[in-house]
Amino acid sequence: MSETILILGASGQIGGELTEKLRNIYGSNHVIASDIRNGNDALMNSGPFEIIDATDKDGILAVVKKYKVTQIYLLAAMLSATGEQFPQKAWDLNMSSLLAVLDIAKEKHVHQVYWPSSIAAFGPTTPKNNTPQKTIMEPSTVYGISKISGEFWCNYYHEKFGVDVRSLRYPGIITWKSKPGGGTTDYAVDIFFKAIKEGAYECFLGENTRLPMMYMEDAVNATIKLMQADAKDIKVRTSYNLSAIDFTPKELATQIQQFLPNFKITYKPDFRQQIADSWPQTIDDSEARKDWNWSHKFDLSSMANDIIKNLQAQKINS
Ligand code: AKB
């Protein structure tokens, strides 16, 4: 079936790269990027773009009708660290946008929805290692509360109204194409920019803080693979655990030193340490691997190599 896709939150970290990949697959005119603000030139110039407030159901619906949209990917969200600074705003944005999109699907304006959950849906009482798909989930951040609530809204709309909504619990996502935006795992992106530019980085998490992570290319591929899977293979309608790699800031710094031997790291943990400490260290994603054949491509070394190579080329060309 040919699809026309609307991306809400396309100017964000994941939204931008997801839009690029979807435009390659479905054709530029079939992927409508949108955000509350303009995106970078690559996003704005590679296909249709609309300004949309993701909490405004009527605004979303008008664009859905204008382009005859068949699928919505909802990427607009306030992440964990910013969410702790603006709890009410985080809740309002994260929940109203999801409910607006689920309602649009319930009313049959679109036939499929993607919405990301996160490892933030877990909490301090969750088993930390090889965290199972089904386990104790008592999140301690507003972002995490919005994610666990959202997961159950997705499941509810699927069970009650037959909405084909699909979701992944993203780990920290790492890319060199854009700067991080308000998350606790952002250090793992920031560190590469600083390593290339300044040769040194002060990390806001302690050296031994292990977290689940993933390279952007794997995250984008997982998202599209999940959306393209046969509906009968989707057994989890809350959100699938998803995993690739895990490391501590110290291990990441050691990896970067393989390519940049003079790189120096120092540690000054701030309020984000407590958030990181409440999350799992490693994730069991065997259900995603079994149900729709997910597998990741990048390990820590191939990811670091790819990022450093690209950032160095960008520096030479700028
Ligand atoms: C964050 O750190 O808030 C996000 C996430 C793990 O969902 N990157």
Side-chain angles (χ1 to χ4, degrees):
M1 181 182 178
S2 80
E3 303 285 357
T4 300
I5 298 169
L6 172 62
I7 318 259
L8 297 165
S11 304
Q13 193 204 23
I14 301 172
E17 294 191 42
L18 190 60
T19 303
E20 188 186 329
K21 185 75 190 258
L22 287 169
R23 282 183 170 160
N24 286 337
I25 298 172
Y26 293 96
S28 294
N29 288 335
H30 286 276
V31 180
I32 297 55
S34 79
D35 207 296
I36 198 148
R37 62 196 153 90
N38 284 349
N40 59 26
D41 289 349
L43 182 80
M44 304 294 293
N45 298 332
S46 61
F49 183 89
E50 297 277 342
I51 294 284
I52 302 181
D53 171 353
T55 64
D56 172 16
K57 185 185 163 190
D58 292 341
I60 302 170
L61 196 50
V63 172
V64 165
K65 288 182 175 165
K66 177 174 168 188
Y67 293 92
K68 299 192 172 48
V69 167
T70 59
Q71 293 184 333
I72 301 179
Y73 286 64
L74 168 55
L75 276 309
M78 194 180 286
L79 299 186
S80 58
T82 315
E84 292 310 286
Q85 317 292 320
F86 306 103
Q88 187 66 49
K89 270 195 187 156
W91 177 256
D92 290 345
L93 169 61
N94 296 358
M95 294 321 304
S96 313
S97 57
L98 176 60
L99 290 172
V101 169
L102 288 175
D103 271 336
I104 288 171
K106 175 187 157 192
E107 292 158 12
K108 308 240 179 291
H109 298 289
V110 297
H111 77 94
Q112 218 180 353
V113 169
Y114 176 77
W115 173 81
S117 184
S118 154
I119 53 165
F122 299 112
T125 51
T126 302
K128 284 222 172 302
N129 292 307
N130 227 11
T131 303
Q133 175 68 42
K134 277 191 187 196
T135 185
I136 301 166
M137 303 193 71
E138 297 179 327
S140 57
T141 61
V142 173
Y143 174 64
I145 299 170
S146 77
K147 288 301 179 192
I148 188 68
S149 310
E151 286 191 15
F152 282 95
W153 275 118
C154 290
N155 195 54
Y156 183 85
Y157 270 70
H158 177 71
E159 295 287 321
K160 285 258 168 186
F161 310 119
V163 170
D164 186 359
V165 51
R166 305 178 183 197
S167 176
L168 297 171
R169 290 175 181 151
Y170 286 142
I173 308 290
I174 303 164
T175 177
W176 57 272
K177 291 192 183 171
S178 56
K179 295 271 171 69
T184 303
T185 58
D186 288 3
Y187 90 84
V189 179
D190 232 356
I191 193 170
F192 284 100
F193 285 94
K194 289 274 167 48
I196 296 292
K197 225 172 141 193
E198 296 165 22
Y201 179 63
E202 183 179 89
C203 185
F204 58 75
L205 296 182
E207 60 183 336
N208 295 320
T209 310
R210 181 173 302 282
L211 286 169
M213 300 278 184
M214 181 176 287
Y215 197 31
M216 180 67 86
E217 190 177 316
D218 278 331
V220 165
N221 286 342
T223 305
I224 296 172
K225 196 168 173 56
L226 174 76
M227 286 295 273
Q228 290 180 337
D230 213 318
K232 70 170 178 12
D233 294 330
I234 308 299
K235 311 271 196 277
V236 175
R237 290 292 182 165
T238 48
S239 188
Y240 274 101
N241 276 7
L242 189 74
S243 166
I245 48 182
D246 60 87
F247 51 77
T248 64
K250 193 175 174 184
E251 287 166 357
L252 180 56
T254 305
Q255 186 63 56
I256 291 173
Q257 283 158 351
Q258 307 285 312
F259 304 101
L260 306 168
N262 296 328
F263 172 65
K264 300 241 168 340
I265 185 163
T266 51
Y267 301 94
K268 196 175 174 199
D270 65 14
F271 73 99
R272 288 168 281 194
Q273 184 66 49
Q274 205 184 352
I275 301 177
D277 288 342
S278 77
W279 290 349
Q281 298 186 341
T282 59
I283 299 284
D284 173 1
D285 66 349
S286 46
E287 299 209 19
R289 289 175 193 264
K290 175 170 58 77
D291 289 356
W292 44 276
N293 223 5
W294 149 249
S295 65
H296 67 281
K297 189 168 126 197
F298 286 88
D299 61 14
L300 177 54
S301 164
S302 53
M303 177 186 80
N305 184 16
D306 199 59
I307 296 176
I308 290 170
K309 194 180 69 198
N310 278 294
L311 285 178
Q312 279 173 331
Q314 200 175 52
K315 195 178 170 189
I316 291 165
N317 295 332
S318 67

